[in-house]
């Protein structure tokens, strides 16, 4: 390290911001490892939730080097005290790394990740993660268990709420943006926290959408789809990864040497550490992969899980495994090395500043502004019959109805444990603020989204009668999505459809705003109401964001990142599927051919396709042109298209680029997203959008991990969604 420079920086900023070089870090790690006992090494490989109240027993354990990490809990003072003991009273002074689930915000709650992804705005997503990192680091957190980038093609799976959508490229771009937001410019900056790519890997492919269920994913699909966002997060510098709960092709993801060693370490060159998911090492016994705790420890360590979360198989059995010469002690050193490397990178050994004793819990004005913008951009307009939206501000009275109009907890979504509740602005509060108290008539109609009673209906109907327009806030309460919250039905729970029907009968215009953690099925509701706005769980500023869109202060610009099925029976459903040998057709002679791939009782197409979302204005796509009809492997193709705003509102459009390879040695998806741009257009304005497509973007995996680009004919679309667009053709040649 350049001491003179560091001295100058210290004088300027009070801290030395110059990180040690990688070689210096390795030297320090080696020196430490050579002095560590086996117990101290296994301690580093152990993580527990923060010992509540920091009792004497825990203090003694920290002094003895029993724990490398704590997560989720502890006041800033307790964390500082535990750290003091680790650094000053343990034999080797190795600091603790504090983790926490900072998933979609910390004190300031942003939309759930699925909602964030609907913004198609990586820069805004990055800024939200940056704010979360600042707020979390201020209370002594060093590491978040995010971003989650599991690809889910089945909305029954409750954790689709935490995902970044079904497309591997978009999920990868957004995961990389989150990594950059969390980790900032330097991992050892006091307001940076280490990211953790999770859940590695395949977790989202749970059979039948049931959480923790088995997954079977052929290697080609694993690499093309499920691993891809992880690889992009790795390239973005994610400091850690979390091994998942699921069994993948017969081997639990937390004991899977193929994904953890072969792919993550050998192919991708990852040198941070891997933490298991919560008790996932022990769960290898229930999976039927490990015979007992000792075997579970052996399999986890051999596979390359460096740190064990919550369960204690490593600590309890590691020494015996080494003494019995079953486990190579070098594997322990490797794991410890990976963990220490991240601790060094975070600056934990260099007196990373302790948190302030009374950190601000109130979100800053900037944080709330980002939360509002991100919520606004995440809102997807699915229906707007006769342009009923936006509502005129001169509209007389508005009836605010439904169980989710004024439920701060529910609008925050699945991960909000440190939320500042006083900052949450519900739709009801925002509506009152926009229109004034006396122009808002309110009746919940139902107590919760699951309420099956109808006693509140009469008041709701009265409210609609007394108003000029009714806005229904329906959907799913937050506990119905997220971990262990799979559903076998995707309809609106409880008596919400009945409530909507009664309100619609009044004859006033009805707008449905749906707050939910997953794509729901609500075909009948959509038929009855004039407009549908999908709001996900929009976070703290959901209320103002929704009202801005309803009244035209913002124009809806969110686009779906998960396919919406017509019925649950269509799941799994996703836009980038294969063609089949008998593809069904929507129109033309083939539409009547029974022997094509479809259903007898419902269309084969989704209710709303991936990429879809309406606007208050209209966009016209034209003039798609390519720099050349043929490109050689290794060359680039410039794709240009004109997008015009032909409507009356200044608005954002998300322009999407898809391709399809028509024939290859392995069948290719009917469409794959290759790029996208969020552009802003004034009424009457036309812009040329330019995409640069390289043949690398067209690569896919063959069996055995061989990445290939095969020559052949391609279709390409510049499109407003995955089911339409302007098509062009090109060839890739050798
Ligand atoms: C979840 C993880 C989470 C961990 C720690 C597990 O149950 O699957 O996503 O990071 O708990 O809270």
């Amino acid at each position: 390290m350049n001491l003179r420079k560091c001295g100058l920086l210290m004088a300027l900023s009070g801290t030395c911001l110059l990180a040690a070089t990688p070689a210096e870090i390795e030297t320090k790690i080696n020196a430490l490892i050579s002095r560590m006992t086996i117990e101290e090494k296994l301690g580093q490989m152990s993580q527990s939730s923060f010992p509540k109240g920091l009792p004497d027993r825990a203090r003694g354990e920290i002094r003895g080097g029993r724990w490398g990490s704590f997560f989720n809990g502890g006041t800033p003072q307790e964390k500082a005290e535990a750290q003091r003991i680790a650094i000053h009273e343990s034999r080797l002074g190795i600091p603790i790394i504090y983790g926490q689930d900072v998933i979609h915000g910390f004190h300031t709650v942003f939309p759930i990740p699925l909602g964030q992804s609907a913004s198609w705005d990586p820069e805004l997503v990055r800024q939200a993660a940056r704010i979360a990192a600042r707020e979390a680091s201020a209370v002594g957190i060093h590491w978040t268990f995010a971003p989650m980038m599991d690809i889910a093609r089945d909305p029954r799976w409750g954790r689709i709420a935490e995902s970044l959508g079904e497309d591997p490229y978009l999920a990868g771009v957004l995961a990389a943006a989150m990594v950059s937001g969390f980790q900032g410019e330097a991992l050892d900056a006091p307001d940076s926290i280490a990211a953790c790519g999770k859940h590695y890997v395949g977790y989202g492919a749970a059979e039948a959408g049931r959480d923790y269920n088995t997954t079977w994913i052929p290697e080609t699909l694993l690499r093309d789809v499920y691993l891809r966002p992880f690889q992009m997060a790795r390239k973005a510098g994610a400091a850690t990864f979390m091994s998942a709960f699921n069994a993948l092709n017969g081997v639990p993801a937390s004991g899977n040497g193929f994904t953890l060693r072969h792919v993550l370490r050998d192919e991708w060159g990852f040198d941070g550490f891997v933490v298991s998911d919560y008790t996932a090492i022990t769960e290898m016994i229930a999976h039927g992969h490990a015979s007992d705790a000792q075997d579970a420890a052996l399999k986890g360590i051999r596979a390359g899980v460096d740190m064990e979360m919550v369960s204690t198989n490593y600590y309890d059995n590691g020494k015996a495994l080494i003494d019995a010469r079953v486990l190579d002690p070098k594997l322990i050193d490797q794991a410890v090395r990976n963990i220490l490397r991240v601790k060094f990178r975070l600056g934990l050994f260099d007196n990373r500043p302790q948190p302030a004793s009374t950190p601000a819990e109130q979100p800053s004005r900037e944080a709330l502004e980002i939360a509002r913008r991100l919520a606004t951009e995440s809102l997807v307009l699915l229906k707007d019959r006769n342009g009923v939206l936006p509502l005129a501000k001169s509209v007389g009275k508005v009836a605010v109805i439904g169980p989710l109009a004024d439920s701060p907890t529910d609008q925050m979504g699945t991960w909000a444990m440190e939320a500042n509740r006083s900052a949450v602005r519900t739709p009801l509060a925002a509506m009152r603020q926009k229109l004034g108290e006396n122009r808002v008539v309110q009746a919940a109609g139902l107590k919760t989204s699951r309420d099956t009673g109808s006693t509140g209906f009469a008041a709701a109907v009265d409210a609609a009668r007394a108003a000029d327009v009714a806005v229904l806030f329906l959907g799913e309460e937050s506990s119905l999505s997220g971990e262990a919250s799979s559903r076998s039905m995707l309809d609106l729970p409880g008596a919400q459809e009945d409530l909507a029907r009664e309100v619609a009968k009044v004859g006033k215009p009805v707008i449905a705003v749906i707050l939910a953690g997953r794509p729901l099925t609500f075909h009948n509701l959509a038929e009855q109401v004039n407009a549908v706005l999908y709001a996900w769980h929009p976070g703290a500023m959901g209320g103002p964001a929704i009202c801005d869109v309803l009244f035209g202060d913002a124009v809806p610009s969110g686009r779906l990142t998960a396919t919406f099925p017509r019925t649950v029976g269509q799941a799994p459903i996703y836009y980038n599927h294969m063609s089949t040998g008998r593809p069904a057709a929507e129109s033309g002679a083939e539409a009547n051919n029974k022997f094509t791939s479809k259903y007898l009782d419902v269309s084969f197409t989704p209710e709303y396709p991936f990429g879809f979302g309406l606007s208050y204005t209209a966009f016209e796509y034209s003039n798609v042109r390519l720099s050349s009809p043929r490109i050689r492997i290794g060359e680039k193709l410039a794709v240009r298209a004109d997008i015009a705003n032909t409507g009356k509102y200044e608005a954002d459009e998300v322009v999407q680029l898809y391709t399809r390879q028509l024939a290859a040695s392995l069948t290719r998806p009917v469409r794959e997203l290759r790029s996208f741009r969020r552009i802003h257009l004034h009424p009457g304005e036309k812009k040329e959008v330019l995409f640069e497509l390289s043949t690398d973007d067209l690569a896919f995996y063959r069996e055995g991990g061989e990445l290939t680009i095969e020559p052949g004919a391609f279709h390409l679309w510049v499109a407003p969604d995955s089911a339409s667009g302007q098509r062009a053709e090109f060839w890739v040649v050798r």
Side-chain angles (χ1 to χ4, degrees):
M1 181 170 332
N2 182 335
L3 282 176
R4 206 174 63 83
K5 217 162 157 196
C6 192
L8 183 68
L9 271 169
M10 282 198 64
L12 290 174
S13 65
T15 45
C16 175
L17 294 174
L18 271 189
T21 65
E24 283 166 347
I25 288 179
E26 296 310 308
T27 310
K28 288 181 185 177
I29 293 173
N30 287 336
L32 263 178
I33 288 192
S34 68
R35 297 173 59 206
M36 287 170 84
T37 63
I38 180 67
E39 286 80 7
E40 285 164 334
K41 290 176 185 174
L42 294 168
Q44 284 304 305
M45 294 167 70
S46 303
Q47 182 190 51
S48 132
S49 53
F50 192 91
K52 208 169 180 336
L54 197 60
D56 284 345
R57 183 164 161 236
R59 289 167 187 261
E61 287 178 353
I62 296 166
R63 222 168 267 128
R66 169 70 186 86
W67 300 107
S69 175
F70 291 127
F71 74 104
N72 288 8
T75 63
Q77 290 81 351
E78 286 166 351
K79 284 207 280 273
E81 171 61 2
Q83 191 69 298
R84 189 194 62 73
I85 298 172
I87 293 175
H88 298 290
E89 295 180 10
S90 77
R91 201 174 70 87
L92 295 171
I94 301 176
I96 297 163
I97 177 170
Y98 291 121
Q100 179 133 340
D101 290 286
V102 182
I103 311 290
H104 50 105
F106 191 66
H107 297 316
T108 311
V109 178
F110 300 102
I112 53 169
L114 187 58
Q116 291 192 33
S117 71
S119 75
W120 298 64
D121 192 338
E123 173 53 20
L124 203 50
V125 167
R126 184 194 68 79
Q127 288 177 33
R130 188 88 282 278
I131 287 162
R134 255 184 237 140
E135 291 180 350
S137 59
V139 300
I141 289 161
H142 309 132
W143 173 32
T144 172
F145 304 136
M148 192 274 224
M149 61 200 83
D150 296 314
I151 299 298
R153 296 170 154 188
D154 189 332
R156 289 174 294 181
W157 191 52
R159 300 199 84 170
I160 196 171
E162 295 174 61
S163 81
L164 295 167
E166 75 193 29
D167 181 73
Y169 168 73
L170 178 62
V173 169
L174 296 172
M178 283 189 176
V179 168
S180 145
F182 288 132
Q183 299 193 167
E185 284 186 1
L187 212 46
D188 61 351
D191 63 354
S192 290
I193 57 177
C196 181
K198 77 183 188 187
H199 305 84
Y200 192 79
V201 57
Y203 184 38
E207 275 185 359
R210 208 178 72 224
D211 205 2
Y212 315 123
N213 206 3
T214 308
T215 66
W216 296 98
I217 311 173
E219 187 185 339
T220 51
L221 183 66
L222 186 69
R223 287 181 180 274
D224 282 339
V225 173
Y226 292 89
L227 282 167
R228 190 151 172 227
F230 286 94
Q231 188 172 16
M232 291 167 78
R234 150 76 191 115
K235 282 192 183 139
T240 72
F241 285 87
M242 182 186 290
S243 66
F245 287 131
N246 56 296
L248 170 64
N249 302 333
V251 181
S254 291
N256 200 310
F258 170 69
T259 54
L260 290 166
R261 284 202 191 273
H262 183 70
V263 176
L264 184 62
R265 300 277 176 196
D266 301 344
E267 291 185 11
W268 300 353
F270 174 66
D271 67 354
F273 73 86
V274 175
V275 64
S276 79
D277 204 345
Y278 203 108
T279 63
I281 298 297
T282 294
E283 290 168 28
M284 287 200 278
I285 302 170
H287 273 297
H289 184 67
S291 51
D292 54 22
Q294 202 173 81
D295 195 29
L298 180 67
K299 292 198 160 122
I301 295 169
R302 275 198 182 148
V305 176
D306 304 305
M307 184 183 280
E308 180 177 13
M309 186 190 284
V310 175
S311 50
T312 59
N313 304 284
Y314 285 12
Y315 195 83
D316 299 343
N317 301 288
K319 185 164 182 313
L321 285 166
I322 288 175
D323 291 347
R325 296 176 182 267
V326 189
L327 177 66
D328 183 349
K330 282 203 201 93
L331 292 183
I332 298 280
D333 286 358
Q334 231 174 54
V336 175
R337 210 170 253 127
N338 294 335
I339 293 163
L340 294 179
R341 193 174 292 124
V342 173
K343 290 189 174 185
F344 273 108
R345 286 179 180 163
L346 276 164
L348 293 175
F349 284 92
D350 302 322
N351 288 328
R352 195 180 153 100
Q354 288 297 332
S357 49
T358 50
E361 285 183 13
Q362 196 60 39
S364 68
R365 187 194 280 262
E366 181 209 355
L368 291 175
E369 179 51 33
I370 300 290
R372 184 178 186 147
R373 276 180 52 204
L374 192 45
T376 305
E377 289 192 3
S378 76
L379 301 175
V380 185
L381 182 63
L382 295 176
K383 172 177 177 170
D384 185 16
R385 192 166 27 155
N386 303 330
V388 65
L389 289 179
L391 298 171
K393 289 209 189 81
S394 56
V395 67
K397 285 195 172 166
V398 175
V400 172
I401 298 170
L404 297 174
D406 195 29
S407 179
T409 305
D410 292 318
Q411 81 178 54
M412 282 194 290
T414 176
W415 284 107
M417 53 183 159
E418 304 280 346
N420 182 302
R421 293 173 162 273
S422 65
V424 180
R425 305 265 303 282
T426 67
L428 176 66
M431 192 77 83
R432 283 184 172 144
Q433 194 179 18
K434 208 174 252 316
L435 299 180
E437 297 265 343
N438 51 5
R439 286 174 61 205
V440 177
V441 205
Q442 194 247 342
L446 292 163
K447 290 194 192 79
T448 67
S449 72
R450 275 186 285 180
D451 186 352
T452 51
S454 56
T455 46
F457 285 15
V461 166
D462 285 347
R465 284 209 183 100
D468 299 278
V469 54
V471 187
L472 289 168
F473 291 89
L474 308 173
E476 281 181 326
E477 56 210 82
S478 60
S479 62
L480 294 187
S481 59
E483 187 174 352
S485 302
S486 293
R487 292 182 60 199
S488 71
M489 247 80 83
L490 298 175
D491 293 343
L492 290 169
Q496 295 184 92
E497 291 233 8
D498 299 336
L499 171 66
R501 198 175 312 114
E502 293 307 311
V503 170
K505 276 190 206 154
V506 173
K508 304 282 171 67
V510 182
I511 320 295
V513 180
I514 301 183
L515 290 85
R518 57 160 64 77
L520 293 174
T521 50
F522 46 90
H523 184 85
N524 293 339
L525 173 90
E527 294 285 290
Q528 282 164 30
V529 300
N530 301 74
V532 179
L533 182 69
Y534 218 77
W536 318 104
H537 291 137
M541 295 302 276
I546 290 168
C547 288
D548 282 351
V549 164
L550 291 179
F551 288 95
D553 292 323
V555 176
S557 60
R559 304 291 183 255
L560 299 179
T561 58
T563 301
F564 274 47
R566 293 171 190 268
T567 77
V568 69
Q570 287 182 315
I573 186 166
Y574 49 97
Y575 86 94
N576 47 354
H577 58 84
M578 302 299 171
S579 155
T580 80
R582 294 183 173 196
E586 270 185 286
S587 56
E590 263 311 88
N592 296 323
N593 182 353
K594 176 173 187 202
F595 295 94
T596 58
S597 182
K598 59 186 177 189
Y599 300 101
L600 291 176
D601 49 1
V602 71
S603 164
F604 64 95
T605 62
E607 185 82 37
Y608 302 106
F610 174 88
F612 177 77
L614 300 170
S615 172
Y616 294 154
T617 198
F619 298 105
E620 217 175 76
Y621 285 57
S622 65
N623 203 11
V624 175
R625 47 212 189 273
L626 310 182
S627 52
S628 159
R630 305 166 88 80
I631 47 167
R632 269 175 216 293
I633 292 176
E635 284 179 359
K636 287 203 161 96
L637 182 70
V639 181
R640 291 183 170 79
D642 296 333
I643 319 295
N645 180 347
T646 55
K648 295 201 199 87
Y649 293 83
E650 174 180 348
D652 279 7
E653 167 68 332
V654 178
V655 184
Q656 303 158 36
L657 178 74
Y658 296 92
T659 65
R660 172 179 184 175
Q661 180 158 20
L662 301 189
S665 60
L666 292 173
T667 59
R668 308 312 312 144
V670 295
R671 276 200 191 197
E672 289 175 278
L673 181 74
R674 299 306 187 190
S675 191
F676 61 90
R677 297 255 191 295
R678 185 181 250 277
I679 59 168
H680 189 79
L681 290 172
H682 292 269
E685 193 185 359
K686 187 200 269 185
K687 264 188 192 158
E688 179 188 272
V689 174
L690 166 69
F691 296 103
E692 275 220 329
L693 191 66
S694 103
T695 51
D696 287 352
D697 299 332
L698 306 170
F700 61 90
Y701 282 96
R702 291 201 195 123
E703 209 56 58
E706 183 201 350
L707 188 63
T708 179
I709 302 160
E710 291 185 6
F714 285 77
H715 283 170
L716 167 154
W717 294 260
V718 179
D721 60 61
S722 64
S724 62
Q726 296 282 311
R727 200 178 88 186
E729 286 159 30
F730 68 96
W731 283 80
V732 170
V733 295
R734 282 199 199 284

